[in-house]
Amino acid sequence: MSDPTRPGRRVELGLGALVVLAGVVLRFVTDSPLWLDEALSVTIAQLPAGDIPEALRHDGHPPLYYLLLHGWMELFGSGDVAVRSLSGILGVALLPLMWVAGRRRGGVVAGGAALVLAAATPYLVRYSTEARMYALLALLVLGAWLVADDLRGGPDRGRWALLAVLTGGALLTHYWAIYLGVAAVGLLAWRWWRADARREALRIGSALAAGTVFFLPWLPSFLYQASHTGTPWGTATRPTRAVTELANGLGGQLGLPEAMLFGFFVLGLAALGLVLASASGTELTLDLRTVPVVRPEIGLVLLTILVGLGVGAITNATFVARYAAGFVPMLLVAAGVAVAGLPGVAAPRVAMLVALVLAGPGLVYNVIDERTQGARIASAITAQGDPDDLVVFCPDQLGPSTLRALPASFEAVGVPALTRPERIDWVDYAARNQAAQPEAMATEVLERAGDHTIWLVYAATYRTYEGLCEGVLSSLSTARPDNEIVVPMDSDVFESATLVRLEP
């Protein structure tokens, strides 16, 4: 990126526009069927609107995205493309806000850099192609940040009310918005204590407080979820692990070195934006005390992570990159400011080129990568099985994505509840799984199957299922030695599983 008055600006602007256009298109393109979380979103959102809150008490999320998806599916259907398009539109709506945010912090060049980075960041593309709430969270939080920034300039009732609404919307979208809110209040309290912006802090803080009113009707459900759901599939995350997880997520959640390089490059640019004081010729002047341009944004990001990880350490809740959706745009704004602050003409161009090259693998894989083997397994069962057969999922988390592609005529059960696992009941999940006995599960499955074939969809890597699924397979194989692997586990697939056919 460069100043519009420099030579070659038309070429740069044209290339930037192409990247943004490609980013828009990529927000609607992926070949993968819906994986577990997406299938759960759709299954819950398909319920009558009045039943969605009760279903979410057993799922562990707030209701706003599901209610929006419910209305969206009423208009456009529940196909993979249809349900993901809502996130795609939300992801596109984020892009002009990125331009505004970058321009406010670093001028036109920073605005352009932030826009291009947002368009090409695999993280934002990935969650624009998922039927989940993360694109909505990013849009609401960045919108709230811009409105709060407006309120720093003086009182405005309209903006005050809008900030309250956006705050309430974010809280009702994902619970990590609570940590963002706590971090924001902490920073405002610091400004108040320093007595350099008390009126400003009061205006913004009162709007944030007013926004919590929208959350109050949901509070009983939140307290129930906090006591009974959580993240049983993961454990508390160390800070170093959280940084690695975030870098991997920024690159597309692939676990590939190239993807993580992009993530660390963006994080490095954001850190540079925090300390870059000036640039001249080939020299940079860094101020390790930090410079004020993006100090509030980076401070908010760091404090949010610390609060979230601290709560996770107490409650044994994990951190995964998708939870960062609320503050990833702020990191990209800081990165755009760093690019704009680099000296000369070549350095900003090289920085953007490196970022785009490193983003490439994540963007390509998001289009071609298979997120689940569920559809492949369903196809094999449909082709070789009979509706009288029994399909068994161990763990039950493999059920939602597979059942979405499996004819409803097939009977299916999930271990350990042995009910049809179209949705997962996360209430006291770990205790229920750890109390299950493999032999008892296998005996019940054999009785239900009778003289019909059993199709076992299993994976041995799920937390709280340690030894359970292997034990079920062992007992079933002993009772039915005529068995074979029909679909082997593909370790390159995010949600992988093995399909075993056990004949009577």
PDB file of all heavy atoms in Angstrom, residues 207-230:
ATOM      1  N   ALA A 207     -22.871   3.460  28.425  1.00  0.00           N
ATOM      2  CA  ALA A 207     -23.491   2.770  27.284  1.00  0.00           C
ATOM      3  C   ALA A 207     -23.237   1.268  27.356  1.00  0.00           C
ATOM      4  O   ALA A 207     -24.131   0.461  27.077  1.00  0.00           O
ATOM      5  CB  ALA A 207     -22.946   3.341  25.974  1.00  0.00           C
ATOM      6  N   LEU A 208     -22.015   0.886  27.726  1.00  0.00           N
ATOM      7  CA  LEU A 208     -21.715  -0.540  27.888  1.00  0.00           C
ATOM      8  C   LEU A 208     -22.587  -1.142  28.982  1.00  0.00           C
ATOM      9  O   LEU A 208     -23.115  -2.260  28.822  1.00  0.00           O
ATOM     10  CB  LEU A 208     -20.240  -0.731  28.230  1.00  0.00           C
ATOM     11  CG  LEU A 208     -19.210  -0.303  27.170  1.00  0.00           C
ATOM     12  CD1 LEU A 208     -17.798  -0.518  27.697  1.00  0.00           C
ATOM     13  CD2 LEU A 208     -19.423  -1.051  25.866  1.00  0.00           C
ATOM     14  N   ALA A 209     -22.739  -0.415  30.089  1.00  0.00           N
ATOM     15  CA  ALA A 209     -23.582  -0.907  31.178  1.00  0.00           C
ATOM     16  C   ALA A 209     -25.036  -1.045  30.729  1.00  0.00           C
ATOM     17  O   ALA A 209     -25.713  -2.034  31.056  1.00  0.00           O
ATOM     18  CB  ALA A 209     -23.476   0.033  32.373  1.00  0.00           C
ATOM     19  N   ALA A 210     -25.521  -0.055  29.973  1.00  0.00           N
ATOM     20  CA  ALA A 210     -26.894  -0.133  29.471  1.00  0.00           C
ATOM     21  C   ALA A 210     -27.078  -1.332  28.554  1.00  0.00           C
ATOM     22  O   ALA A 210     -28.152  -1.959  28.532  1.00  0.00           O
ATOM     23  CB  ALA A 210     -27.255   1.164  28.737  1.00  0.00           C
ATOM     24  N   GLY A 211     -26.030  -1.682  27.808  1.00  0.00           N
ATOM     25  CA  GLY A 211     -26.118  -2.820  26.906  1.00  0.00           C
ATOM     26  C   GLY A 211     -26.318  -4.139  27.623  1.00  0.00           C
ATOM     27  O   GLY A 211     -26.921  -5.069  27.073  1.00  0.00           O
ATOM     28  N   THR A 212     -25.841  -4.231  28.873  1.00  0.00           N
ATOM     29  CA  THR A 212     -26.011  -5.481  29.610  1.00  0.00           C
ATOM     30  C   THR A 212     -27.472  -5.756  29.943  1.00  0.00           C
ATOM     31  O   THR A 212     -27.832  -6.896  30.245  1.00  0.00           O
ATOM     32  CB  THR A 212     -25.197  -5.460  30.909  1.00  0.00           C
ATOM     33  OG1 THR A 212     -25.687  -4.415  31.778  1.00  0.00           O
ATOM     34  CG2 THR A 212     -23.719  -5.219  30.632  1.00  0.00           C
ATOM     35  N   VAL A 213     -28.324  -4.718  29.874  1.00  0.00           N
ATOM     36  CA  VAL A 213     -29.747  -4.917  30.144  1.00  0.00           C
ATOM     37  C   VAL A 213     -30.342  -5.926  29.164  1.00  0.00           C
ATOM     38  O   VAL A 213     -31.216  -6.732  29.523  1.00  0.00           O
ATOM     39  CB  VAL A 213     -30.501  -3.570  30.080  1.00  0.00           C
ATOM     40  CG1 VAL A 213     -32.005  -3.780  30.168  1.00  0.00           C
ATOM     41  CG2 VAL A 213     -30.018  -2.648  31.196  1.00  0.00           C
ATOM     42  N   PHE A 214     -29.871  -5.894  27.924  1.00  0.00           N
ATOM     43  CA  PHE A 214     -30.377  -6.836  26.923  1.00  0.00           C
ATOM     44  C   PHE A 214     -30.031  -8.276  27.285  1.00  0.00           C
ATOM     45  O   PHE A 214     -30.708  -9.215  26.849  1.00  0.00           O
ATOM     46  CB  PHE A 214     -29.794  -6.506  25.541  1.00  0.00           C
ATOM     47  CG  PHE A 214     -30.247  -5.190  24.987  1.00  0.00           C
ATOM     48  CD1 PHE A 214     -29.452  -4.054  25.119  1.00  0.00           C
ATOM     49  CD2 PHE A 214     -31.465  -5.071  24.341  1.00  0.00           C
ATOM     50  CE1 PHE A 214     -29.863  -2.833  24.610  1.00  0.00           C
ATOM     51  CE2 PHE A 214     -31.886  -3.852  23.833  1.00  0.00           C
ATOM     52  CZ  PHE A 214     -31.090  -2.729  23.971  1.00  0.00           C
ATOM     53  N   PHE A 215     -28.977  -8.443  28.073  1.00  0.00           N
ATOM     54  CA  PHE A 215     -28.522  -9.789  28.439  1.00  0.00           C
ATOM     55  C   PHE A 215     -29.275 -10.342  29.643  1.00  0.00           C
ATOM     56  O   PHE A 215     -29.297 -11.566  29.852  1.00  0.00           O
ATOM     57  CB  PHE A 215     -27.017  -9.744  28.747  1.00  0.00           C
ATOM     58  CG  PHE A 215     -26.384 -11.085  28.968  1.00  0.00           C
ATOM     59  CD1 PHE A 215     -26.119 -11.933  27.902  1.00  0.00           C
ATOM     60  CD2 PHE A 215     -26.054 -11.513  30.249  1.00  0.00           C
ATOM     61  CE1 PHE A 215     -25.532 -13.177  28.104  1.00  0.00           C
ATOM     62  CE2 PHE A 215     -25.461 -12.747  30.463  1.00  0.00           C
ATOM     63  CZ  PHE A 215     -25.194 -13.580  29.389  1.00  0.00           C
ATOM     64  N   LEU A 216     -29.893  -9.472  30.436  1.00  0.00           N
ATOM     65  CA  LEU A 216     -30.500  -9.904  31.697  1.00  0.00           C
ATOM     66  C   LEU A 216     -31.551 -11.006  31.522  1.00  0.00           C
ATOM     67  O   LEU A 216     -31.590 -11.948  32.324  1.00  0.00           O
ATOM     68  CB  LEU A 216     -31.097  -8.698  32.427  1.00  0.00           C
ATOM     69  CG  LEU A 216     -30.081  -7.691  32.976  1.00  0.00           C
ATOM     70  CD1 LEU A 216     -30.800  -6.539  33.671  1.00  0.00           C
ATOM     71  CD2 LEU A 216     -29.100  -8.373  33.926  1.00  0.00           C
ATOM     72  N   PRO A 217     -32.437 -10.946  30.504  1.00  0.00           N
ATOM     73  CA  PRO A 217     -33.399 -12.048  30.360  1.00  0.00           C
ATOM     74  C   PRO A 217     -32.728 -13.394  30.124  1.00  0.00           C
ATOM     75  O   PRO A 217     -33.319 -14.443  30.427  1.00  0.00           O
ATOM     76  CB  PRO A 217     -34.241 -11.621  29.142  1.00  0.00           C
ATOM     77  CG  PRO A 217     -34.101 -10.141  29.089  1.00  0.00           C
ATOM     78  CD  PRO A 217     -32.699  -9.863  29.541  1.00  0.00           C
ATOM     79  N   TRP A 218     -31.523 -13.356  29.562  1.00  0.00           N
ATOM     80  CA  TRP A 218     -30.810 -14.611  29.280  1.00  0.00           C
ATOM     81  C   TRP A 218     -29.968 -15.071  30.465  1.00  0.00           C
ATOM     82  O   TRP A 218     -29.447 -16.177  30.456  1.00  0.00           O
ATOM     83  CB  TRP A 218     -29.921 -14.426  28.048  1.00  0.00           C
ATOM     84  CG  TRP A 218     -29.246 -15.685  27.606  1.00  0.00           C
ATOM     85  CD1 TRP A 218     -27.928 -16.001  27.717  1.00  0.00           C
ATOM     86  CD2 TRP A 218     -29.869 -16.810  26.969  1.00  0.00           C
ATOM     87  NE1 TRP A 218     -27.686 -17.253  27.198  1.00  0.00           N
ATOM     88  CE2 TRP A 218     -28.861 -17.762  26.728  1.00  0.00           C
ATOM     89  CE3 TRP A 218     -31.181 -17.089  26.580  1.00  0.00           C
ATOM     90  CZ2 TRP A 218     -29.126 -18.986  26.117  1.00  0.00           C
ATOM     91  CZ3 TRP A 218     -31.442 -18.320  25.979  1.00  0.00           C
ATOM     92  CH2 TRP A 218     -30.426 -19.236  25.750  1.00  0.00           C
ATOM     93  N   LEU A 219     -29.833 -14.243  31.485  1.00  0.00           N
ATOM     94  CA  LEU A 219     -28.931 -14.538  32.593  1.00  0.00           C
ATOM     95  C   LEU A 219     -29.205 -15.886  33.263  1.00  0.00           C
ATOM     96  O   LEU A 219     -28.248 -16.633  33.554  1.00  0.00           O
ATOM     97  CB  LEU A 219     -28.989 -13.406  33.625  1.00  0.00           C
ATOM     98  CG  LEU A 219     -28.009 -13.511  34.799  1.00  0.00           C
ATOM     99  CD1 LEU A 219     -26.567 -13.536  34.300  1.00  0.00           C
ATOM    100  CD2 LEU A 219     -28.220 -12.345  35.765  1.00  0.00           C
ATOM    101  N   PRO A 220     -30.460 -16.267  33.552  1.00  0.00           N
ATOM    102  CA  PRO A 220     -30.670 -17.594  34.175  1.00  0.00           C
ATOM    103  C   PRO A 220     -30.134 -18.736  33.317  1.00  0.00           C
ATOM    104  O   PRO A 220     -29.545 -19.689  33.848  1.00  0.00           O
ATOM    105  CB  PRO A 220     -32.196 -17.664  34.319  1.00  0.00           C
ATOM    106  CG  PRO A 220     -32.638 -16.242  34.381  1.00  0.00           C
ATOM    107  CD  PRO A 220     -31.721 -15.504  33.453  1.00  0.00           C
ATOM    108  N   SER A 221     -30.320 -18.650  31.998  1.00  0.00           N
ATOM    109  CA  SER A 221     -29.799 -19.697  31.119  1.00  0.00           C
ATOM    110  C   SER A 221     -28.277 -19.701  31.134  1.00  0.00           C
ATOM    111  O   SER A 221     -27.642 -20.768  31.148  1.00  0.00           O
ATOM    112  CB  SER A 221     -30.311 -19.492  29.689  1.00  0.00           C
ATOM    113  OG  SER A 221     -31.707 -19.666  29.612  1.00  0.00           O
ATOM    114  N   PHE A 222     -27.677 -18.515  31.140  1.00  0.00           N
ATOM    115  CA  PHE A 222     -26.219 -18.425  31.193  1.00  0.00           C
ATOM    116  C   PHE A 222     -25.676 -19.064  32.467  1.00  0.00           C
ATOM    117  O   PHE A 222     -24.696 -19.822  32.432  1.00  0.00           O
ATOM    118  CB  PHE A 222     -25.788 -16.964  31.110  1.00  0.00           C
ATOM    119  CG  PHE A 222     -24.349 -16.738  31.489  1.00  0.00           C
ATOM    120  CD1 PHE A 222     -23.322 -17.193  30.683  1.00  0.00           C
ATOM    121  CD2 PHE A 222     -24.025 -16.083  32.672  1.00  0.00           C
ATOM    122  CE1 PHE A 222     -22.000 -16.995  31.042  1.00  0.00           C
ATOM    123  CE2 PHE A 222     -22.712 -15.875  33.040  1.00  0.00           C
ATOM    124  CZ  PHE A 222     -21.685 -16.334  32.216  1.00  0.00           C
ATOM    125  N   LEU A 223     -26.306 -18.779  33.598  1.00  0.00           N
ATOM    126  CA  LEU A 223     -25.839 -19.348  34.863  1.00  0.00           C
ATOM    127  C   LEU A 223     -25.987 -20.870  34.864  1.00  0.00           C
ATOM    128  O   LEU A 223     -25.123 -21.593  35.378  1.00  0.00           O
ATOM    129  CB  LEU A 223     -26.613 -18.734  36.029  1.00  0.00           C
ATOM    130  CG  LEU A 223     -26.373 -17.228  36.247  1.00  0.00           C
ATOM    131  CD1 LEU A 223     -27.276 -16.703  37.361  1.00  0.00           C
ATOM    132  CD2 LEU A 223     -24.909 -16.949  36.565  1.00  0.00           C
ATOM    133  N   TYR A 224     -27.075 -21.364  34.278  1.00  0.00           N
ATOM    134  CA  TYR A 224     -27.253 -22.816  34.178  1.00  0.00           C
ATOM    135  C   TYR A 224     -26.169 -23.429  33.295  1.00  0.00           C
ATOM    136  O   TYR A 224     -25.561 -24.456  33.643  1.00  0.00           O
ATOM    137  CB  TYR A 224     -28.634 -23.124  33.615  1.00  0.00           C
ATOM    138  CG  TYR A 224     -28.896 -24.603  33.441  1.00  0.00           C
ATOM    139  CD1 TYR A 224     -29.326 -25.368  34.515  1.00  0.00           C
ATOM    140  CD2 TYR A 224     -28.713 -25.220  32.204  1.00  0.00           C
ATOM    141  CE1 TYR A 224     -29.567 -26.736  34.370  1.00  0.00           C
ATOM    142  CE2 TYR A 224     -28.960 -26.575  32.049  1.00  0.00           C
ATOM    143  CZ  TYR A 224     -29.372 -27.331  33.127  1.00  0.00           C
ATOM    144  OH  TYR A 224     -29.607 -28.666  32.977  1.00  0.00           O
ATOM    145  N   GLN A 225     -25.911 -22.807  32.141  1.00  0.00           N
ATOM    146  CA  GLN A 225     -24.868 -23.308  31.251  1.00  0.00           C
ATOM    147  C   GLN A 225     -23.506 -23.279  31.929  1.00  0.00           C
ATOM    148  O   GLN A 225     -22.706 -24.214  31.789  1.00  0.00           O
ATOM    149  CB  GLN A 225     -24.835 -22.470  29.972  1.00  0.00           C
ATOM    150  CG  GLN A 225     -26.052 -22.627  29.087  1.00  0.00           C
ATOM    151  CD  GLN A 225     -26.097 -21.582  27.992  1.00  0.00           C
ATOM    152  OE1 GLN A 225     -25.527 -20.496  28.128  1.00  0.00           O
ATOM    153  NE2 GLN A 225     -26.778 -21.888  26.900  1.00  0.00           N
ATOM    154  N   ALA A 226     -23.225 -22.194  32.660  1.00  0.00           N
ATOM    155  CA  ALA A 226     -21.930 -22.072  33.321  1.00  0.00           C
ATOM    156  C   ALA A 226     -21.710 -23.188  34.327  1.00  0.00           C
ATOM    157  O   ALA A 226     -20.562 -23.623  34.544  1.00  0.00           O
ATOM    158  CB  ALA A 226     -21.829 -20.711  34.014  1.00  0.00           C
ATOM    159  N   SER A 227     -22.792 -23.680  34.916  1.00  0.00           N
ATOM    160  CA  SER A 227     -22.672 -24.745  35.917  1.00  0.00           C
ATOM    161  C   SER A 227     -22.656 -26.137  35.305  1.00  0.00           C
ATOM    162  O   SER A 227     -22.123 -27.069  35.919  1.00  0.00           O
ATOM    163  CB  SER A 227     -23.844 -24.653  36.916  1.00  0.00           C
ATOM    164  OG  SER A 227     -23.835 -23.422  37.597  1.00  0.00           O
ATOM    165  N   HIS A 228     -23.209 -26.278  34.096  1.00  0.00           N
ATOM    166  CA  HIS A 228     -23.430 -27.631  33.591  1.00  0.00           C
ATOM    167  C   HIS A 228     -22.837 -27.931  32.203  1.00  0.00           C
ATOM    168  O   HIS A 228     -22.806 -29.099  31.818  1.00  0.00           O
ATOM    169  CB  HIS A 228     -24.934 -27.914  33.540  1.00  0.00           C
ATOM    170  CG  HIS A 228     -25.591 -27.940  34.881  1.00  0.00           C
ATOM    171  ND1 HIS A 228     -25.493 -28.999  35.750  1.00  0.00           N
ATOM    172  CD2 HIS A 228     -26.354 -27.006  35.515  1.00  0.00           C
ATOM    173  CE1 HIS A 228     -26.173 -28.741  36.854  1.00  0.00           C
ATOM    174  NE2 HIS A 228     -26.700 -27.536  36.732  1.00  0.00           N
ATOM    175  N   THR A 229     -22.425 -26.928  31.445  1.00  0.00           N
ATOM    176  CA  THR A 229     -21.929 -27.231  30.091  1.00  0.00           C
ATOM    177  C   THR A 229     -20.429 -26.948  29.978  1.00  0.00           C
ATOM    178  O   THR A 229     -19.615 -27.834  30.110  1.00  0.00           O
ATOM    179  CB  THR A 229     -22.724 -26.463  29.028  1.00  0.00           C
ATOM    180  OG1 THR A 229     -22.653 -25.056  29.295  1.00  0.00           O
ATOM    181  CG2 THR A 229     -24.180 -26.895  29.030  1.00  0.00           C
ATOM    182  N   GLY A 230     -20.041 -25.689  29.727  1.00  0.00           N
ATOM    183  CA  GLY A 230     -18.615 -25.372  29.600  1.00  0.00           C
ATOM    184  C   GLY A 230     -18.015 -25.939  28.334  1.00  0.00           C
ATOM    185  O   GLY A 230     -18.678 -26.043  27.294  1.00  0.00           O
TER     186      GLY A 230
END
